[in-house]
Amino acid sequence: MRFLGINAVFHDPAAALVVDGEVVAAAEEERFSRRKHGKRPVPFSAWELPEQAAAWCLAEAGLRPEDLDAVAYSYDPSLVRRETGAPWEDLRTTYATRAPSFLATALPGLDPAQVRFVPHHVAHAASAGLAAPYEDCAVLVCDGRGEAVSHLAGHYRGGELTTLAAQELPHSLGLMYEEVTEHLGFMRSSDEYKVMALASYGAPRHLDAMRELVTTTGDGGFTVERVDWSGFAKRLGRGETWTADHADLAASVQTRLEEVLLELAFWLHDRTGARCLAMAGGVALNCVANTRLLAEGPFEEIWVQPAAGDSGTALGGALHLSQEFGEPAAPMRGADLGRGWTEGELAAWLDVARVPYTRPENLAGEVARALADDRIVAWFQGRSEYGPRALGRRSLLAHPGHARNAERLNEVKGREQFRPIAPMVLESRAHEIFGRGPVPSPYMLFVHDVRPGWRERIPAVVHVDGTARIQTVSREHDPLMAEVIERFEGLSGLPVVVNTSLNTAGRPMVDSPRDALECFGSSPVDVLVLGPFVVRRAA
């Protein structure tokens, strides 16, 4: 059976296709439209659909809209409480109610009756609990908001979800984090990860106040009081320089978030007795909190869906319908679910661009040599990643042994200098270099302590607090990248390379060959690897 999932109502519109229980394609609309996050998260944009992503998913599988058994829309407008008085809520709800007609217009041939509304947090939960490699697991969802709640705690057993708790709005951990993001001069529903990075530069000196403002209720829920953020630090305008006060505020909010998640996890474990926890929702992208949950919480294993934010509800909605229609969902096999190109297509793009290129006999060896020579390499291989992390498909690679490369890459990308860059490491070598976080860690959703003997050897990827957000690489799942790292180790003695997303500030991650060529042409990158082909910067 064939199920298309659609996320559209808030932000990060995306589409995903599940056929016979297998995820065959998934992509965010931003990768096609080249508009960061696809659209702004305001009610006026709720009608905008991931039209290009949905059309591509169908084309990838050779399907037409009329071939679908059902379409999941990851929001159920019947659950919205209209009496809340939230500005423009009626407009958002009206657009969502009419989504079947909008989708039928965007996908000619689709019967509007085929569209099913899946509650937002159920879609989040399915994207984790049904995609995780577990038959039985607890599931925890935290984000900004859905229809009427901001959180779900439940238990998946045999593909069936039992909801054990859900926190009603206006109480929301995600909205609290969005508010402090905006107060610190960043863009809400977009830059929350910057607050997490900034927190490492501060001390949680406002933690007692945050503990009074954010509390758990003992029944699986929590309360978040209204916060006067100006009482802790001056509001920053976009681009204004942060101070120690702002870093301390970020640290205080981050620490309290971690504490609350731990309390929720212990409550959930007591109710389920589950050994494993699956997580989704935007808060699950907080890799610092994830590591603390694993290190100090009650669950033996934690699995976080790589597209844990709202884009992942497209996947969850499709998986939920598949399960509901009696087609058990298979676990995700990887995040490389987006567009890919043949060697012939890549060569044609290079020819159109009229750039000189080579096809080396030993691609891994040539790239390893470039990295050892301290070149920055734009790396474009296979199908693009689903979710916000560059996982060796659309990446910028560099030498981790030169401290200046952190500053250098942030300059290339045009972003804040406090932002860390990440290491890719051979899975077989990860334990000797990194501690505390889980191994394997293929989706870059946990932080790990860098062992003291290695901090001086790979300074470019060590954050100010001595941690790194690692991605483990295995020869089984990515043999080419594993060979690059192995050959780089042979030249440098380091089984680690720098990996950050292939994009510049304010732009979506590179997705197509054209995107890659434009990025290479407009930024100080030394080498572009496009499939088997290599383009070098002219001297």
Side-chain angles (χ1 to χ4, degrees):
M1 301 186 77
R2 302 150 177 157
F3 302 98
L4 181 69
I6 296 291
N7 170 62
V9 74
F10 291 119
H11 52 84
D12 295 295
L17 183 67
V18 173
V19 177
D20 298 334
E22 295 275 354
V23 185
V24 299
E28 293 101 332
E29 185 73 3
E30 69 166 21
R31 306 296 176 87
F32 300 83
S33 69
R34 310 309 300 159
R35 184 182 175 193
K36 187 72 170 174
H37 295 297
K39 61 180 183 179
R40 292 303 302 137
V42 294
F44 309 99
S45 72
W47 64 272
E48 296 183 48
L49 296 168
E51 296 185 24
Q52 296 178 79
W56 171 79
C57 284
L58 293 175
E60 180 70 9
L63 298 177
R64 299 167 299 174
E66 54 265 40
D67 297 327
L68 294 167
D69 291 286
V71 175
Y73 184 84
S74 61
Y75 188 84
D76 186 347
S78 71
L79 300 178
V80 175
R81 297 193 178 98
R82 293 177 182 256
E83 69 275 7
T84 61
W88 302 106
E89 190 65 52
D90 282 350
L91 181 63
R92 178 186 281 120
T93 303
T94 297
Y95 283 149
T97 301
R98 296 181 179 178
S101 297
F102 293 160
L103 282 164
T105 301
L107 300 172
L110 176 69
D111 182 351
Q114 296 290 88
V115 179
R116 310 290 184 93
F117 294 117
V118 176
H120 187 72
H121 286 85
V122 170
H124 266 311
S127 79
L130 295 179
Y134 310 128
E135 289 288 331
D136 182 312
C137 68
V139 62
L140 182 63
V141 174
C142 284
D143 67 356
R145 60 158 296 182
E147 299 88 351
V149 302
S150 68
H151 147 269
L152 180 151
H155 191 189
Y156 265 104
R157 183 185 283 119
E160 296 295 324
L161 172 66
T162 300
T163 299
L164 300 172
Q167 179 55 55
E168 292 188 1
L169 294 169
H171 303 287
S172 169
L173 297 174
L175 290 180
M176 173 194 70
Y177 215 91
E178 286 186 20
E179 286 177 8
V180 77
T181 297
E182 187 172 54
H183 187 77
L184 293 171
F186 307 126
M187 185 179 294
R188 67 184 300 159
S189 296
S190 172
D191 294 345
E192 283 69 28
Y193 57 93
K194 296 181 183 180
V195 177
M196 182 183 68
L198 183 60
S200 298
Y201 289 81
R205 61 186 176 93
H206 305 299
L207 184 55
D208 287 344
M210 292 307 303
R211 284 171 175 163
E212 292 181 6
L213 291 164
V214 185
T215 59
T216 52
T217 54
D219 58 359
F222 49 85
T223 62
V224 180
E225 304 298 334
R226 291 187 64 84
V227 183
D228 177 12
W229 300 109
S230 296
F232 299 104
K234 179 180 78 75
R235 182 185 178 95
L236 290 176
R238 194 73 56 82
E240 284 190 297
T241 302
W242 56 274
T243 68
D245 286 343
H246 300 99
D248 289 349
L249 174 56
S252 301
V253 173
Q254 173 66 30
T255 302
R256 186 56 187 150
L257 174 71
E258 295 166 15
E259 292 178 342
V260 171
L261 291 174
L262 273 168
E263 292 175 42
L264 296 177
F266 275 106
W267 182 90
L268 182 56
H269 185 263
D270 285 344
R271 297 307 182 280
T272 64
R275 188 179 69 85
C276 304
L277 173 67
M279 295 176 64
V283 175
L285 293 172
N286 192 304
C287 53
V288 176
N290 294 345
T291 293
R292 188 169 176 191
L293 270 179
L294 181 62
E296 301 178 26
F299 293 99
E300 295 177 34
E301 294 183 21
I302 296 179
W303 188 86
V304 183
Q305 204 269 106
D310 270 12
S311 66
T313 64
L315 170 65
L319 290 173
H320 177 78
L321 287 190
S322 184
Q323 194 76 33
E324 200 172 67
F325 276 68
E327 194 88 70
M332 279 183 74
R333 290 184 285 190
D336 52 335
L337 295 167
R339 287 189 289 178
W341 279 263
T342 66
E343 292 182 8
E345 289 169 331
L346 294 175
W349 271 104
L350 289 165
D351 290 337
V352 167
R354 297 182 181 179
V355 294
Y357 63 92
T358 61
R359 180 175 183 156
E361 290 186 13
N362 187 335
L363 179 63
E366 182 148 336
V367 172
R369 169 54 63 188
L371 294 172
D373 290 341
D374 204 23
R375 303 287 188 260
I376 294 176
V377 176
W379 179 260
F380 182 107
Q381 295 291 336
R383 295 178 66 174
S384 61
E385 301 93 338
Y386 180 46
R389 304 284 191 254
L391 301 170
R393 305 290 175 160
R394 306 289 186 270
S395 293
L396 285 170
L397 310 178
H399 195 308
H402 304 307
R404 68 180 182 277
N405 278 343
E407 180 179 349
R408 187 178 168 202
L409 280 167
N410 281 330
E411 288 175 351
V412 167
K413 292 167 70 70
R415 66 184 196 177
E416 301 89 349
Q417 284 297 338
F418 66 81
R419 303 266 298 279
I421 54 178
M424 282 199 295
V425 59
L426 292 169
E427 184 180 308
S428 60
R429 306 293 301 281
H431 277 303
E432 70 182 82
I433 306 168
F434 304 101
R436 195 163 62 110
V439 173
S441 185
Y443 299 136
M444 207 183 285
L445 285 166
F446 295 84
V447 296
H448 294 63
D449 294 330
V450 184
R451 299 193 188 280
W454 282 90
R455 292 178 187 177
E456 297 76 22
R457 298 185 64 186
I458 53 172
V461 296
V462 182
H463 197 32
V464 66
D465 60 359
T467 65
R469 187 183 67 196
I470 80 169
Q471 179 198 351
T472 57
V473 176
S474 70
R475 182 170 284 278
E476 176 187 2
H477 292 105
D478 194 345
L480 179 58
M481 180 53 68
E483 186 179 356
V484 169
I485 298 173
E486 288 167 352
R487 289 183 176 274
F488 177 73
E489 181 182 13
L491 295 168
S492 68
L494 303 175
V496 172
V497 299
V498 172
N499 170 31
T500 188
S501 56
L502 181 51
N503 67 328
T504 53
R507 297 181 181 180
M509 204 183 307
V510 159
D511 195 76
S512 71
R514 179 176 187 145
D515 302 335
L517 286 161
E518 288 179 348
C519 186
F520 179 69
S522 62
S523 59
V525 174
D526 302 301
V527 179
L528 169 64
V529 180
L530 203 64
F533 307 110
V534 174
V535 182
R536 291 185 175 272
R537 178 76 60 196

